[in-house]
Amino acid sequence: GEDVEQSLFLSVREGDSSVINCTYTDSSSTYLYWYKQEPGAGLQLLTYIFSNMDMKQDQRLTVLLNKKDKHLSLRIADTQTGDSAIYFCAEIVSGGYNKLIFGAGTRLAVHP
Amino acid sequence: EAGVAQSPRYKIIEKRQSVAFWCNPISGHATLYWYQQILGQGPKLLIQFQNNGVVDDSQLPKDRFSAERLKGVDSTLKIQPAKLEDSAVYLCASSFPDRVGYTFGSGTRLTVV
């Protein structure tokens, strides 16, 4: 089946690290993504990881992938107020034409 | 590169009325997607085009929703007649086939009253 699950809410103090977790179901997913959505805006691609990788680092962002447990996480170092947004985990589901399936999103609130 | 353009930005209609949304993808992107995002939920794929052909419309409520992509470029999504539960943001995205990352437009926020 196609299902991506995320916790709905995370609150962190400014300057701390944030970790957003996600589980997915399609073991054949080739790419897994993190998108960011600010209020009233569209979806912004933050980062992605190919399924043959365990980790990817991009400035303040670190993505960890555990294929055995189908678990994906996004760590944001030195979280800032501008990071407050909804973060969506998404997987590519293959089968004919690839399609991108999203989780429900994790709302990150950053407080002083 | 110019982004994915969508219009209108906002639309308010009464139930049972019709509405249409327009999307202009990034030049050269063969694949185009329409997603529906209900408040508090993640985006749900409605329909996927490859050039001007439909490759997946399994989640599209075909009794009231229709979409077309003439000449493999712009696309229109129509709802006729609208129901209250159609209130959502309708997002258009495009990509090269088998390439990483879809580019999303800003969406059209539909309110059905």
Side-chain angles (χ1 to χ4, degrees):
Chain A
E2 306 164 358
D3 199 12
V4 178
E5 294 190 356
Q6 305 178 235
S7 52
L8 294 182
F9 187 75
L10 177 66
S11 177
V12 300
R13 191 184 304 274
E14 190 174 12
D16 287 351
S17 293
S18 308
V19 180
I20 302 171
N21 295 300
C22 165
T23 57
Y24 61 97
T25 54
D26 188 349
S27 57
S28 65
S29 289
T30 51
Y31 287 97
L32 294 131
Y33 300 82
W34 286 103
Y35 279 84
K36 176 182 180 182
Q37 188 174 43
E38 295 180 87
L43 291 160
Q44 172 196 353
L45 177 62
L46 267 185
T47 187
Y48 64 92
I49 188 166
F50 190 50
S51 58
N52 68 352
M53 299 168 65
D54 297 324
M55 185 182 86
K56 179 179 180 182
Q57 188 148 2
D58 184 1
Q59 299 181 340
R60 293 190 297 122
L61 305 178
T62 302
V63 179
L64 295 178
L65 174 60
N66 181 329
K67 282 198 72 175
K68 175 177 171 289
D69 295 337
K70 296 180 194 160
H71 183 267
L72 183 74
S73 67
L74 173 70
R75 178 177 180 268
I76 306 173
D78 187 25
T79 311
Q80 302 298 306
T81 54
D83 295 323
S84 294
I86 302 176
Y87 291 80
F88 291 95
C89 172
E91 64 168 340
I92 287 284
V93 174
S94 54
Y97 288 89
N98 294 336
K99 59 183 179 181
L100 190 60
I101 303 299
F102 286 85
T106 299
R107 181 177 296 275
L108 174 65
V110 183
H111 55 89
Chain B
E1 127 186 300
V4 175
Q6 290 189 247
S7 67
R9 195 69 202 277
Y10 304 93
K11 190 75 177 177
I12 301 175
I13 62 172
E14 295 182 350
K15 58 184 179 184
R16 291 188 289 273
Q17 285 188 323
S18 302
V19 64
F21 313 126
W22 174 82
C23 172
N24 178 236
I26 290 176
S27 178
H29 279 191
T31 313
L32 185 146
Y33 316 81
W34 283 102
Y35 281 82
Q36 179 193 57
Q37 186 178 17
I38 293 172
L39 186 66
Q41 299 182 18
K44 182 183 85 171
L45 180 66
L46 291 176
I47 189 167
Q48 177 176 344
F49 292 92
Q50 186 82 359
N51 296 307
N52 61 346
V54 175
V55 299
D56 188 341
D57 62 357
S58 55
Q59 298 294 306
L60 189 74
K62 298 181 188 63
D63 57 335
R64 298 182 301 106
F65 286 64
S66 65
E68 60 182 6
R69 190 183 184 198
L70 299 176
K71 300 180 182 177
V73 182
D74 293 4
S75 178
T76 303
L77 176 70
K78 296 179 182 177
I79 308 175
Q80 180 180 9
K83 293 184 175 181
L84 296 176
E85 58 260 37
D86 297 332
S87 294
V89 175
Y90 291 85
L91 295 161
C92 179
S94 69
S95 72
F96 289 110
D98 300 325
R99 286 278 290 272
V100 176
Y102 297 17
T103 303
F104 282 82
S106 296
T108 296
R109 181 177 296 277
L110 173 67
T111 303
V112 182
V113 298

